[in-house]
Amino acid sequence: MRMRNKYRKPTTFRCNAGSRCSTSAVVWSLVGCFFMFQLYTLVRQKDRLGGEIQFRVSNHPQFHELEQVEEENIQIPPPRKRSPRAAKRKPRRPTTLIDEFLDENSQIRHVFFPQKLAIDPMKDTANDSYYFYPGRIWLDTDGNPIQAHGGGILFDEKSRTYYWYGEYKDGPTYHAHKRGVARVDIIGVGCYSSNDLWKWKNEGLVLAAEKANETHDLHKSNVLERPKVIYNDHTGKYVMWMHIDDVNYTKASVGVAISDYPTGPFDYLYSKRPHEFDSRDMTIFKDDDGVAYLIYSSDDNSELHIGPLTEDYLDVTNTVRRILVGQHREAPALFKHEGTYYMITSGCTGWAPNEALGHAAESVMGPWEFMGNPCAGGNKVSRLTTFFAQSTSVLPVPGFTGSFIFMADRWNPADLRDSRYVWLPLIVGGPADRPLDYNFGFPLWSRVSIYWHRKWKLPQGWSGWKRI
Ligand code: GAL
């Protein structure tokens, strides 16, 4: 026998005295409302799109060329011939482009790590001048490969010069033990200066490894990664933050160093676990109001933490927020455009490349929303591997609102000193093509795009060239 459920709600609702609405009427009116809302959002999007395109064209048509989607077709070589016995012993699994990238004996190694061609500002005249070639060896003005991996660029207002700081890795790659990751002893932080972002002069090691004292954070047997420098307008000091670790990455700390000059030498102050949390990949970000923030991967790289630094930039404050919780992101690179904060991150696969993701926020402390993969052009695999590279920093191009340089590292774990730089134009504009978290399926913010180019240069007329 079927019992009547006395707790079940009636399927009709009283709308107002005397009238009754059926469930379907309510459902249909809800559907109607939702439809109207989506229509409204679409119209708004379209308006924004129109406005955005106009804005882009009228503001910097020169950059438009760099927004062209450039496809790249990389052919996987046919499998090498093997003896029938070898083939029987171990059947070959299909080779992917990522396998080829990770295989140091790959027949197409030169595609990812070209050996013969280099960006050489002292030789490349006329036709090749000022061209960036992502993945090529990049020589400094002395003719040596630039050593500034996992780095970032400071524009020094006083000298109107760019300084590029990064890991100086010009030593042998080895494994400290069987299960250890490929590494190079700490040599120090390299610094290069430039007026045009293309010709870089080696300014030497601005923070050097400690050779004798084994207990020192900077002892060569430890790890120093992702150094970044910002200038403190109050104290007049240049402050460097970096990832400090031991050989097994269990110290998981940040280190701080300070200098009176952008070219150092930097005095190493101390290391700590920020907010008492483990901290591995990290960056710092200086906002327009002068407040600077530390952003680091924490809780075993499962989430990021963000918090303001003290006024002198020498420590963190007690304020911290957990962001991208459970998303396992690292290599954060932050930038700001028209009041919105953006961040590019990578997944956590060591030296192997993986998919970049964009995130956006109205407040630097969050909440941060997911924006999808910003990579455009190349091919599917290269888009899924950030063009075989990993984010490290995003640099605004002066004079071109909404235009940035995305700086990434194409790591070569077989020979880390030979890791390459992948710099590409990053443009903020147009509607995002992936739904964000809280917008009922329609994008709310501008799309962030990183455009693949085999070669590209900054348009004439950006202020770096004029040396204003
Ligand atoms: C990556 C990280 C690099 C380096 C590497 C070591 O995940 O982004 O900076 O730490 O691991 O395997």
Side-chain angles (χ1 to χ4, degrees):
M1 209 179 79
R2 264 181 88 187
M3 295 282 288
R4 200 167 154 247
N5 183 354
K6 61 178 175 169
Y7 299 109
R8 214 172 121 194
K9 293 222 174 88
T11 51
T12 54
F13 307 94
R14 285 214 171 266
C15 296
N16 52 39
S19 81
R20 291 188 121 208
C21 308
S22 70
T23 313
S24 61
V26 172
V27 168
W28 277 113
S29 38
L30 280 175
V31 168
C33 284
F34 184 70
F35 181 73
M36 292 304 289
F37 174 75
Q38 297 290 32
L39 208 67
Y40 166 75
T41 323
L42 246 185
V43 170
R44 267 192 52 208
Q45 276 302 324
K46 236 177 130 206
D47 286 353
R48 277 172 50 141
L49 180 64
E52 198 79 51
I53 285 171
Q54 261 181 19
F55 164 81
R56 282 154 77 191
V57 171
S58 57
N59 266 278
H60 40 82
Q62 302 99 308
F63 246 88
H64 220 55
E65 207 178 297
L66 296 174
E67 295 171 45
Q68 302 303 320
V69 171
E70 194 179 304
E71 308 275 326
E72 174 140 273
N73 182 15
I74 305 173
Q75 294 292 335
I76 299 182
R80 281 195 212 101
K81 284 222 168 70
R82 298 192 309 164
S83 72
R85 256 179 71 200
K88 211 169 155 194
R89 244 193 350 254
K90 201 172 173 210
R92 184 191 300 280
R93 62 187 179 98
T95 310
T96 66
L97 215 45
I98 299 192
D99 292 333
E100 294 293 342
F101 175 78
L102 295 174
D103 176 5
E104 53 186 290
N105 297 314
S106 164
Q107 294 170 59
I108 56 166
R109 186 79 173 155
H110 59 278
V111 172
F112 309 111
F113 296 98
Q115 282 303 332
K116 290 194 192 117
L117 297 165
I119 307 171
D120 186 350
M122 303 317 278
K123 288 214 188 97
D124 289 341
T125 46
N127 285 347
D128 259 352
S129 280
Y130 299 107
Y131 273 105
F132 300 110
Y133 286 88
R136 275 196 191 174
I137 292 170
W138 195 343
L139 303 179
D140 63 17
T141 50
D142 297 330
N144 299 314
I146 294 173
Q147 288 291 336
H149 309 281
I153 289 177
L154 163 85
F155 178 66
D156 181 42
E157 299 282 348
K158 287 195 211 164
S159 53
R160 305 210 67 77
T161 302
Y162 293 93
Y163 291 96
W164 180 3
Y165 302 89
E167 301 158 31
Y168 198 93
K169 287 183 122 49
D170 196 8
T173 296
Y174 69 99
H175 293 256
H177 50 83
K178 222 169 145 201
R179 292 171 134 229
V181 295
R183 59 167 275 122
V184 168
D185 279 348
I186 300 183
I187 298 170
V189 176
C191 173
Y192 295 80
S193 62
S194 175
N195 294 317
D196 57 23
L197 296 174
W198 188 70
K199 253 186 272 106
W200 292 95
K201 174 175 178 276
N202 188 355
E203 298 286 352
L205 288 177
V206 291
L207 180 68
E210 165 64 42
K211 288 199 182 106
N213 180 358
E214 285 181 21
T215 63
H216 198 284
D217 282 348
L218 301 185
H219 184 258
K220 61 186 169 77
S221 61
N222 288 326
V223 166
L224 186 175
E225 290 177 343
R226 301 187 175 272
K228 306 283 177 314
V229 175
I230 48 177
Y231 177 70
N232 189 301
D233 305 277
H234 298 298
T235 61
K237 305 273 185 195
Y238 297 83
V239 182
M240 179 189 295
W241 284 70
M242 67 211 100
H243 172 192
I244 290 292
D245 230 314
D246 54 39
V247 68
N248 295 320
Y249 287 86
T250 57
K251 189 179 172 86
S253 300
V254 282
V256 186
I258 191 170
S259 175
D260 287 331
Y261 307 99
T263 47
F266 280 77
D267 291 326
Y268 186 74
L269 299 181
Y270 68 101
S271 72
K272 77 186 290 189
R273 285 191 154 202
H275 316 107
E276 286 162 33
F277 284 108
D278 59 299
S279 159
R280 292 191 175 85
D281 278 8
M282 45 64 68
T283 194
I284 44 176
F285 171 74
K286 182 177 169 184
D287 208 344
D288 307 330
D289 59 3
V291 180
Y293 297 81
L294 172 71
I295 303 97
Y296 57 95
S297 295
S298 195
D299 199 9
D300 277 334
N301 286 348
S302 67
E303 58 193 40
L304 291 178
H305 290 181
I306 184 162
L309 302 182
T310 51
E311 231 179 88
D312 57 10
Y313 298 168
L314 299 183
D315 202 348
V316 289
T317 63
N318 292 331
T319 310
V320 62
R321 288 267 161 78
R322 299 167 65 210
I323 59 171
L324 311 189
V325 176
Q327 296 188 33
H328 299 270
R329 307 301 298 168
E330 62 177 14
L334 255 85
F335 56 104
K336 188 179 185 180
H337 173 58
E338 292 184 338
T340 300
Y341 299 86
Y342 297 92
M343 175 162 56
I344 308 290
T345 61
S346 79
C348 305
T349 54
W351 301 120
N354 56 56
E355 187 179 22
L357 291 179
H359 316 267
E362 276 174 58
S363 152
V364 69
M365 295 294 280
W368 283 84
E369 293 188 7
F370 171 66
M371 298 185 81
N373 182 341
C375 296
N379 56 57
K380 193 173 169 203
V381 178
S382 68
R383 284 193 296 277
L384 289 175
T385 56
T386 323
F387 310 114
F388 303 98
Q390 185 186 31
S391 46
T392 181
S393 208
V394 175
L395 178 73
V397 181
F400 291 93
T401 321
S403 305
F404 299 82
I405 297 177
F406 172 68
M407 296 169 58
D409 297 285
R410 181 173 290 172
W411 299 113
N412 178 354
D415 186 10
L416 284 163
R417 78 175 109 200
D418 186 38
S419 300
R420 307 294 171 84
Y421 310 103
V422 172
W423 285 22
L424 288 168
L426 180 153
I427 317 278
V428 185
D433 56 4
R434 283 278 285 272
L436 300 178
D437 296 341
Y438 317 110
N439 64 350
F440 305 100
F442 280 86
L444 283 178
W445 287 335
S446 292
R447 189 188 144 82
V448 170
S449 309
I450 300 168
Y451 292 94
W452 169 251
H453 293 287
R454 265 184 332 104
K455 60 182 273 193
W456 67 284
K457 63 172 161 187
L458 287 162
Q460 295 282 347
W462 74 282
S463 44
W465 287 16
K466 285 195 227 135
R467 291 213 63 197
I468 45 169

